[in-house]
Structure formats: structure tokens, C-alpha cells
Amino acid sequence: MNEKPWCCIYENIYLGMGDVAKDLAAGTVGGAAQLICGHPFDTIKVKLQSQPAPLPGQLPKYSGAFDAVKQTIAAEGARGLYKGMGAPLATVAAFNAVLFTVRGQMETLVRSNPGSPLTVDQQFVCGAGAGVAVSILACPTELIKCRLQAQSALAGSETATVAVKYGGPMDVARHVLRSEGGVRGLFKGLVPTMGREIPGNAIMFGVYEALKQKFAGGTDTSGLSRGSLIVAGGLAGASFWFLVYPTDVIKSVIQVDDHRNPKFSGSFDAFRKIRATEGFKGLYKGFGPAMARSVPANAACFLAYEMTRSALG
């Protein structure tokens, strides 16, 4: 009689560890699919976000997304669209593994009964919790990626006199650690990163679950087709960026801001200055590429995650 509770405890721990391992594996595969599909769009987004406002009477470096693509390919070749992918590729396993694993563990915490489906509201909570965790990983990765992607956008501007040219992800990391306050420098932009990841993941996972239940006609979504998962994942990803895009712009300009001669003292200062010089449309620079990226990239991510998770049992 006394042994049964301990057996149940060990069984639950074993099953929980199994779920964590499956979420880690499935999240890794999903993240790789998302990165491969979405990185070129992300490169164009960052270039548009980080190009300086033109002086009176001058034209911006890029007139739009297609112009940015054309100039990037002309100057750097097609591989220029994948510049900065080394940093997120190196951490994509950790990032998406943490995202989906924390979300899975949050599901366990908020679920009223073992095995019972979660409500859409509960998925919002799980997504927000996962957003807190991934912000810590996303901030230094995004800083390295953005600096590599933004170099050509800053070239030829007044910023170029103080901009540092980086040879790759490790070169960015070494420079930041040596010249920008050590490890703390890698977490420049953490506040707007959290302002993006927490509400963004809350809405993304909430919308994803709501759409799955809508397509399935109930809470049992296990029989959904790949097409339904693709549509749900793509629209969920679009909802993420639609909600938090201005926060992402602020994060990008802070992370590529020159450490020795900063333009912005913080997130609110960046918001005020962008609004004053460029209007509210300045907070949506690169919105087109971001939305164009979000649908296929997140569709690929969720489909790869669901298929891998299903294959693992």
C-alpha cells in the first residue's frame, strides 16, 4: 500500500521527462524549418528597419522591400540574404526547444485534469510563459544577427564613420564582450525583446489553438490534416507580428545603435525619436517583409513540430 504512491510519482516523472525530450526534439526540427524558410525575409526586414532616416532632399538607401532585395543580391549575391544566419542557426535548437518545452510544461501546470485539452485562454497563458523564457536566449542572438544584417544598410550613412565592420557572428560577440560592457552588452535591447516575445507568443499560441479547434469542430485536434496545420500555423505567426511589430522595430534600432555615440537612451526614447522624425509609419519599416516571412516560416515551423511530435508518439 505504501509503495503505490511512489510508483505513481516515478511514473509521472518518467513520462514528464519523456514529454520534455519529445518537445525538445520537435521544437528543434520546427525551428530549423522556420529559419530556412524565413531568414531571407528577416534580412530585408532588418535592413529596412535599420537604415537611417534620409536627410532633407535625399532619398532613403532602400525605396522598399524589392529594392532592398535587388541591392542586396547585386552587392553581396544571393547568400547576402542569408547573412547573419550563423547566430540563429547555432542557437535555433536551444531557442525553439525552450519555447516548445516551456510551453509544454506550462500546459501541464494549467491543465485541470491530466490529458484534458486546454482552452484557448490557457494557451494564451502558456504562450506568455514561454515568451519570458525565450527572451533570455533571443536577445543576444538577435543582437548579433541584426548587426550583421544591418551593416550594408548603415554603409554610406553618417553612422558609417563609427560603425564597426564584423567578420561574422563570433566577431560581433567578441567585439561586444570587449568593448560594450561584457556580457551585459549582449543583452542590449532585452526590454523590447521581452515586450515582443511575451505578448507575441501569447497571441500566437492562442490563435494557433483557436484555429485548430475551429477547423476540427471541437477540442480534439489530433486528426487535423497537414493543410489545416499549415493554415493555422501561418495565420498564428502573422498574428504575432501584427501585434508586436513596432516593438520589434525599437528592438532592432537599439541593438544596432552605436555604443560609443548612441542615438537612443532607451526604448521610450527610441519610440519618441522615431515618431518625431518619421511619424508612426517609421514604426512599421519593414512590415511587409516581416508579414511575408511570418506566414510561410511559421507554417513550416508548426507543421514540422506537429509531425515530429506525432512521429515520436
Side-chain angles (χ1 to χ4, degrees):
M1 293 292 293
N2 292 332
E3 294 181 0
K4 188 174 181 180
W6 286 105
C7 291
C8 292
I9 290 172
Y10 287 131
E11 181 180 5
N12 288 335
I13 292 174
Y14 175 78
L15 292 174
M17 290 176 65
D19 286 338
V20 169
K22 291 172 184 176
D23 282 331
L24 285 168
T28 299
V29 174
Q34 181 185 51
L35 185 65
I36 293 168
C37 288
H39 194 79
F41 295 96
D42 191 62
T43 296
I44 300 304
K45 171 182 73 76
V46 172
K47 285 178 180 287
L48 291 173
Q49 286 177 342
S50 57
Q51 66 173 331
L55 297 174
Q58 292 185 348
L59 295 174
K61 183 176 179 65
Y62 305 116
S63 61
F66 289 108
D67 185 46
V69 171
K70 185 170 66 175
Q71 289 194 42
T72 299
I73 293 176
E76 307 171 55
R79 69 178 185 176
L81 295 172
Y82 285 89
K83 181 170 284 187
M85 195 172 78
L89 186 61
T91 57
V92 67
F95 183 90
N96 283 277
V98 168
L99 178 66
F100 284 98
T101 301
V102 172
R103 176 216 179 194
Q105 295 306 298
M106 289 287 293
E107 286 180 348
T108 302
L109 290 175
V110 303
R111 184 175 279 118
S112 55
N113 296 303
S116 63
L118 268 65
T119 66
V120 173
D121 289 344
Q122 288 174 320
Q123 285 290 359
F124 274 102
V125 174
C126 294
V132 174
V134 298
S135 295
I136 307 302
L137 285 173
C139 187
T141 302
E142 291 269 317
L143 183 141
I144 292 170
K145 173 181 69 69
C146 286
R147 293 203 180 182
L148 289 170
Q149 290 173 325
Q151 284 189 112
S152 59
L154 293 173
S157 72
E158 60 183 8
T159 314
T161 58
V162 291
V164 176
K165 295 296 182 182
Y166 304 109
M170 294 305 296
D171 190 33
V172 178
R174 280 193 297 267
H175 174 83
V176 172
L177 290 171
R178 183 175 62 249
S179 307
E180 300 185 28
V183 174
R184 181 180 178 182
L186 290 172
F187 286 89
K188 185 178 183 180
L190 179 61
V191 171
T193 299
M194 296 184 74
R196 182 189 71 178
E197 293 295 333
I198 296 172
N201 281 293
I203 192 73
M204 183 175 71
F205 283 111
V207 168
Y208 183 63
E209 186 63 29
L211 288 172
K212 287 204 303 179
Q213 292 184 16
K214 176 73 172 178
F215 295 153
T219 56
D220 183 6
T221 61
S222 58
L224 283 177
S225 67
R226 293 181 182 179
S228 296
L229 294 174
I230 288 172
V231 173
L235 292 177
S239 70
F240 179 110
W241 288 105
F242 185 80
L243 175 69
V244 302
Y245 194 78
T247 308
D248 185 65
V249 172
I250 291 170
K251 176 201 71 69
S252 293
V253 299
I254 287 176
Q255 290 186 323
V256 302
D257 198 15
D258 184 62
H259 177 69
R260 290 167 292 182
N261 186 28
K263 292 182 179 178
F264 311 110
S265 61
S267 299
F268 290 108
D269 184 49
F271 172 80
R272 285 193 299 267
K273 288 180 177 176
I274 292 172
R275 189 181 63 175
T277 58
E278 304 175 60
F280 279 104
K281 69 178 183 179
L283 295 168
Y284 286 89
K285 290 189 297 185
F287 183 69
M291 294 303 290
R293 168 193 177 274
S294 67
V295 175
N298 285 283
C301 178
F302 277 106
L303 178 63
Y305 171 82
E306 295 282 10
M307 291 179 64
T308 305
R309 192 67 171 79
S310 177
L312 292 174

